[in-house]
Amino acid sequence: MATSIRPVMRPLVDPDFWRCRAVLVTGHTGFKGAWLALWLQAMGARVTGLSDRVPTTPSLYELAHVADGMKDDIRADVRDHDAVLAAFAAAEPEVVVHMAAQAFVRRSFADPHATYETNVMGTVNVLEAVRATPSVRVVVNVTSDKCYDNHHAREPLPFAEDDPKGGHDPYSNSKACADLVADAYLRSYFERYEAGPRLASARAGNVIGGGDWGEDRLIPDVMRGALNGVPIAIRNPEAVRPWQHVLNPLSGYLRLAQALHGSPAAQGGWNFGPALADARPVRAIADRMSDLWDGALEWEIDPGVHPHEARFLALDSSKARDGLGWGPSWTLDDALAAIAAWYAALRDGEDLRAVTLAQIAAFEAAGARA
Ligand SMILES: NC(=O)c1ccc[n+]([C@@H]2O[C@H](COP(=O)([O-])OP(=O)(O)OC[C@H]3O[C@@H](n4cnc5c(N)ncnc54)[C@H](O)[C@@H]3O)[C@@H](O)[C@H]2O)c1
């Protein structure tokens, strides 16, 4: 499929495109969803959210009062076909960003059944609702960099979009399945109709930023330790990950939605990864955060037995660069500085909606300069 969509327009994320547009975000109460909902609100979109709950306490969703700017804030389980259908019928979205998921590897080992139900059948239910809702024109299905078959020692080759899907653990595997489900819907239903909904899957990973309290994630663990003044235990310090600020892939998802709206050529799979130089070991991230934090931040190696994790994971994002004109607006170091500033603002009792919106504005300004 052609990847040349149209000449690159600046800004990458076009506020004029999003103003007044009806957007449905699943998983809007989660870490990435709250950032996305806030960004869409800032651009004047009419945002409906669908999530089963607010997944953590505290959460970016509550601290930044994301609910205040929602057109509608729906509590529904993506495993519930009828509830998803009803939410779509009520929202009548033009753009759908599907992010609701059981997003944790360790939890997927403990409960593979719920992980597959949520991530695979949840995606089927969302795509069935898309088929039943004539207003929908564009769907971005958020999967993961972990959707690629990582069984072989391929390092240091980054994954490209056409590499085989796989996934060692139930989480990664469920995201590979969700990607394949989208592929089947694209080929069976959407690709055939010029006027029908357009669908793409977006793959990114190791997303970091202020306001994450997810379990077993490096930045939340590090910042919890920093805020509580206790040393933290770190698993797999040598594991290399393609770290990037959450706004980098979100800018890719938004740019992809714009491109899908303009042309069916944008359908299919897209990687949104950082520069290869920003694929860094866990140890380097912890050390840098320790430098940036204006207080005590110490870490030690957790000697426990941990679930399998790939030692090396990186994405080849040249398709997004060439086809969408997308690139990461913030480097890893920009990201870590923003994260330290965000958690310092939390510690100092600042207005976190204003702080988060200011970081979005700074990110947009960096993108405009790029
Ligand atoms: N954070 C990362 O590093 C990362 C990396 C790769 C991919 N992803 C993907 O990005 C998406 C968002 O991840 P996140 O980090 O914000 O996760 P998160 O756990 O912070 O948020 C998950 C969201 O999904 C909702 N949800 C979970 N189960 C649901 C259900 N059964 N029905 C309805 N809603 C449900 C939660 O309420 C929450 O709003 C997920 O699809 C995840 O797999 C995240």
Side-chain angles (χ1 to χ4, degrees):
M1 186 172 290
T3 58
S4 183
I5 314 302
R6 56 168 57 172
V8 174
M9 309 289 283
R10 292 285 166 190
L12 198 56
V13 177
D14 178 6
D16 291 340
F17 175 88
W18 294 99
R19 192 166 302 120
C20 296
R21 209 170 281 276
V23 185
L24 192 153
V25 178
T26 74
H28 71 299
T29 57
F31 165 56
K32 287 168 75 174
W35 275 95
L36 180 64
L38 208 53
W39 194 349
L40 287 165
Q41 289 173 14
M43 293 189 289
R46 293 180 293 128
V47 191
T48 297
L50 183 164
S51 295
D52 60 344
R53 66 208 155 89
V54 180
T56 59
T57 306
S59 67
L60 175 63
Y61 188 73
E62 288 178 339
L63 288 169
H65 303 287
V66 179
D68 293 354
M70 302 298 292
K71 174 172 163 279
D72 207 355
D73 181 3
I74 298 172
R75 289 288 161 276
D77 193 316
V78 289
R79 294 172 291 183
D80 181 341
H81 173 264
D82 294 346
V84 175
L85 219 58
F88 271 68
E92 295 189 317
E94 193 179 350
V95 178
V96 176
V97 183
H98 174 43
M99 293 204 288
Q102 192 302 90
F104 299 94
V105 172
R106 198 177 275 246
R107 213 188 288 173
S108 82
F109 277 99
D111 195 348
H113 188 268
T115 300
Y116 280 105
E117 263 189 336
T118 302
N119 296 359
V120 186
M121 286 314 295
T123 301
V124 171
N125 289 338
V126 164
L127 294 177
E128 283 298 294
V130 166
R131 291 181 64 209
T133 311
S135 60
V136 179
R137 249 185 96 66
V138 165
V139 185
V140 176
N141 176 44
V142 173
T143 63
S144 173
D145 59 349
K146 291 190 167 71
C147 75
Y148 292 110
D149 182 0
N150 211 347
H151 289 168
H152 311 296
R154 300 177 19 148
E155 58 191 285
L157 275 185
F159 290 103
E161 282 82 354
D162 291 336
D163 282 345
K165 308 298 171 297
H168 180 108
D169 57 86
Y171 168 72
S172 307
N173 192 272
S174 73
K175 295 305 270 189
C177 293
D179 213 285
L180 292 171
V181 164
D183 196 43
Y185 270 75
L186 174 58
R187 291 202 244 170
S188 304
Y189 305 111
F190 304 147
E191 209 169 52
R192 297 198 203 164
Y193 308 109
E194 179 63 24
R198 293 172 183 163
L199 169 63
S201 287
R203 304 157 193 157
N206 290 89
V207 176
I208 55 178
D212 192 3
W213 275 273
E215 66 213 37
D216 293 329
R217 285 181 179 165
L218 178 63
I219 292 294
D221 286 352
V222 166
M223 297 320 301
R224 263 190 290 264
L227 292 167
N228 298 331
V230 293
I232 46 138
I234 288 191
R235 305 174 301 278
N236 304 322
E238 308 309 332
V240 173
R241 294 285 176 268
W243 310 99
Q244 58 178 336
H245 194 273
V246 60
L247 291 171
N248 278 341
L250 293 185
S251 70
Y253 305 164
L254 294 172
R255 170 73 183 137
L256 176 58
Q258 294 168 203
L260 282 166
H261 193 270
S263 165
Q267 300 191 109
W270 295 86
N271 288 343
F272 296 102
L276 287 184
D278 284 345
R280 305 271 292 134
V282 165
R283 169 192 295 280
I285 307 303
D287 285 342
R288 184 71 185 127
M289 287 311 296
S290 174
D291 293 341
L292 287 166
W293 185 247
D294 60 352
L297 196 167
E298 291 169 29
W299 66 271
E300 57 203 18
I301 295 175
D302 178 350
V305 177
H306 309 297
H308 169 276
E309 284 191 47
R311 212 164 68 75
F312 177 88
L313 223 175
L315 291 177
D316 175 346
S317 303
S318 49
K319 180 180 169 186
R321 188 190 59 226
D322 299 343
L324 300 174
W326 177 86
S329 299
W330 274 356
T331 63
L332 176 58
D333 217 49
D334 297 331
L336 297 177
I339 291 167
W342 196 97
Y343 284 95
L346 167 71
R347 179 197 59 196
D348 299 343
E350 292 179 27
D351 174 346
L352 290 169
R353 186 178 176 92
V355 167
T356 310
L357 285 169
Q359 293 204 342
I360 291 170
F363 178 88
E364 286 178 312
R369 284 194 301 274

